[in-house]
């Protein structure tokens, strides 16, 4: 499944970036350009980062505003 339509980046490619050590959307962007054009995929990238234990947003307040879980918490508790 595509995560970034602008650069034809798949979910598998984003997950590979995470496995290779990317911990932020900016690091994902450096590796595969996902999230660098229209930005509509950034929320999905943040969710994938959160699912893999990385901090999906720079601050807990922003994570809460976006409805993303803190690392180690289920998404339902973050809201």
């Amino acid at each position: 499944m595509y995560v970034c339509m602008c650069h034809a980046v798949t979910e598998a490619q984003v997950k590979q970036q995470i496995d290779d050590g990317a911990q932020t959307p900016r690091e994902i962007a450096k590796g595969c350009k996902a999230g660098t054009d229209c930005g509509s995929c950034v929320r999905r990238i943040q969710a994938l980062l959160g699912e893999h234990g990385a901090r999906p947003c720079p601050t807990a307040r922003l994570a809460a505003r976006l409805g993303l879980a803190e690392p180690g918490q289920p998404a339902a508790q973050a809201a």
Side-chain angles (χ1 to χ4, degrees), residues 50-76:
E51 289 170 11
H52 287 82
R55 187 172 193 91
C57 294
T59 66
R61 192 174 82 188
L62 181 56
R65 182 180 292 169
L66 294 174
L68 300 171
E70 286 290 318
Q73 286 185 346

Side-chain angles (χ1 to χ4, degrees), residues 9-58:
V9 178
T10 65
E11 189 169 300
Q13 288 172 290
V14 172
K15 288 179 180 180
Q16 184 60 53
Q17 292 292 317
I18 295 168
D19 290 343
D20 290 344
Q23 296 184 13
T24 65
R26 183 167 287 167
E27 290 175 356
I28 297 289
K30 284 182 184 178
C32 64
K33 294 189 178 183
T36 62
D37 203 348
C38 78
S40 66
C41 60
V42 173
R43 279 189 157 190
R44 181 65 188 139
I45 292 168
Q46 290 170 326
L48 289 168
L49 284 164
E51 289 170 11
H52 287 82
R55 187 172 193 91
C57 294

